[in-house]
Every structure is written in structure tokens, then in C-alpha cells.
Amino acid sequence: MRSQRVVFFGATQGMGRAFARRLAVRGDRLFLLGRRAEDLDKAAADLRARAGRDDAVIGHSPCDLGSPKDFAPALQSARDALGGGFDVVVITAGIFETQDAMEADIDKAKRLLDLDFTHTVLFCEHARKHLLESGGGSLVVFSSVAGDRGRKPVAIYGAAKAGLSRYLEALDHKFRGEGLHTLDVKPGFVHTAMTAGLKAPPFAGRPEQVAEDVERALDAGKPLLYTPLPWRFVMLVIRFIPRVVMRRLGF
């Protein structure tokens, strides 16, 4: 497979860092977006060292998911640095808050809804236009299994991810024929800094495992990925639990 030009929003930690490493090692050229310049510097150095080549990361630009005014100039910087266009946009940036924390502080709930749904969709809209102007490409966005069903512990977070996944599904329906490949990645519980301190199920995954799954799904042109694999079957069962039973359950 030829080397691809990738804009990566969220490569500095967790699943995003693991996936960026796989892309760099296999020969892709990345342009990094993120909130902190020092984190981008460290991520770029790490990716270049792992790939063994300076052009593993062409450059980076500050971009804050909380500041939509950053989106257009950041993507334009990436386009210019990558030679007038890009083939793939990856978005792993986002936040998590517990349901209890958001119920106690409405500002936390608003921030999560803004970042994980509204602003992520707005960034995708900017990216979509760039990709279609260049004849198509891939838009890879990390959502969550939390959006598959209304559940007590993730009512607000799940609502944000449910909206994001419906948007990505609609993009795939509308623009696949024009060359836009949309991949909605739905991780289950994965051991990252975001989930530190939370009780993990027995089939919790690792970022490296998720990264491998996403790479395969991207190359295969799949529109949807549950990862790690057991979550595909777990969520299939949960989606069919009757509402009256869901009210009695604590998950």
C-alpha cells in the first residue's frame, strides 16, 4: 500500500498515540493536531524515532477541540505542509466525565457535550470538505459503545457518542459514492488514562490492540468497528434487552 498523508487530531496519548505509531511505522506521513505544543513536540519525536525517518511527521499545529475557530486554519496548515492535500483524517480527541460528576456540575456536562459531539461534528465538517475537494479519502473518528443504548452510568456521555455515531453513519450513506470513506470506531472499555480508576470488565482492551483493529478496518474500507472484538457481541445483547429490564439493571 502506498504511503498516505494523514492528519491526526489526538495522537499524544492513549488509543490515539498507539494508532499514530502504527501509521508512522508502516510508512504513512502524519501532520499532528493537538492542544499543547509541548505534547505535539514529544509525540512527533516519538513517531519519528519509531519509524526511523524524519518524514514520519511532516509537522504539527495547535488545535483545541474546545475552540472551533482553530479548525479551519489548522486543517489548512496540514494541507499546505502535506503538499496540497491529505488522504486520511483521524480524530481521537475527546474527553470523559462520570455521570455523577456531570449531574453534580452542569458546566461539566455542557463541556463534554460541546467537545464530544458538537465540536467534533464541526471539525468533521471541515475535514469532509477538504477530503471531497481532493477527490475523496478516509475520515476515521473514535466514538464509543456507550452510544449504542441508553444506560444509567453513561447517560450524558452515551448521548454525545450516540449523536456522533448517527452523524458518521449519515456521512457514509451520503458521501461514500463520492469517495469519502467514513469509519466509526466504537471502543469498549480500554485501559487508558481516561479510564484510570474505573472498574474494568474482564474483556477490557489495550490501546495497541485497538490500534491494530482500526488499521485493519481502515485498510478494508469498513464503515464501523467495535473494538476489542468481544464488545461487538456484548453490545448486540445489550441492544436487545427489553426496556423494562434495563431499568432494573445497574450498567
Side-chain angles (χ1 to χ4, degrees):
M1 177 179 291
R2 69 178 178 85
S3 172
Q4 293 187 300
R5 300 166 298 174
V6 182
V7 180
F8 207 118
F9 194 177
T12 59
Q13 59 184 338
M15 291 179 283
R17 177 170 55 194
F19 186 41
R21 286 171 174 173
R22 289 193 72 90
L23 296 181
V25 168
R26 77 177 192 173
D28 291 340
R29 294 180 296 141
L30 281 65
F31 188 95
L32 308 182
L33 302 179
R35 189 158 58 95
R36 299 185 183 91
E38 59 271 25
D39 291 341
L40 293 172
D41 286 335
K42 291 177 182 177
D46 172 73
L47 293 171
R48 289 174 179 136
R50 289 173 182 274
R53 53 191 175 83
D54 289 340
D55 71 345
V57 178
I58 300 300
H60 57 72
S61 179
C63 187
D64 187 342
L65 192 57
S67 179
K69 65 180 177 58
D70 293 350
F71 299 166
L75 283 167
Q76 187 60 53
S77 294
R79 183 168 188 154
D80 294 342
L82 290 167
F86 37 80
D87 308 298
V88 181
V89 177
V90 180
I91 306 165
T92 65
I95 64 169
F96 176 79
E97 291 279 1
T98 66
Q99 181 65 22
D100 288 345
M102 288 187 284
E103 288 178 2
D105 186 342
I106 197 67
D107 288 335
K108 288 184 177 180
K110 181 182 184 304
R111 182 169 182 265
L112 182 136
L113 291 167
D114 285 345
L115 270 60
D116 285 1
F117 177 64
T118 304
H119 294 184
T120 300
V121 169
L122 292 176
F123 185 87
C124 287
E125 282 295 289
H126 285 283
R128 171 187 65 78
K129 292 175 182 177
H130 278 282
L131 290 167
L132 288 172
E133 286 172 3
S134 300
S138 297
L139 179 62
V140 182
V141 186
F142 278 49
S143 183
S144 172
V145 298
D148 277 21
R149 189 77 195 267
R151 295 190 290 125
K152 296 175 184 177
V154 287
I156 298 174
Y157 178 74
K161 295 301 185 178
L164 178 59
S165 287
R166 292 293 76 76
Y167 163 77
L168 295 171
E169 181 183 10
L171 280 192
D172 185 66
H173 293 164
K174 185 171 184 179
F175 295 109
R176 177 71 69 126
E178 297 180 33
L180 180 67
H181 161 220
T182 303
L183 173 57
D184 178 6
V185 180
K186 292 187 175 184
F189 193 103
V190 178
H191 290 287
T192 66
M194 185 179 289
T195 59
L198 301 179
K199 184 178 179 180
F203 39 81
R206 297 285 177 183
E208 295 75 19
Q209 176 186 359
V210 170
E212 183 177 355
D213 290 344
V214 177
E215 181 183 10
R216 287 201 194 102
L218 171 62
D219 293 345
K222 292 183 178 180
L224 177 65
L225 172 69
Y226 286 89
T227 178
L229 180 61
W231 284 97
R232 176 180 177 184
F233 306 103
V234 170
M235 298 314 298
L236 179 63
V237 172
I238 289 177
R239 286 198 300 273
F240 284 97
I241 295 176
R243 184 181 290 253
V244 65
V245 176
M246 286 293 292
R247 291 194 188 105
R248 298 172 186 167
L249 298 176
F251 65 84

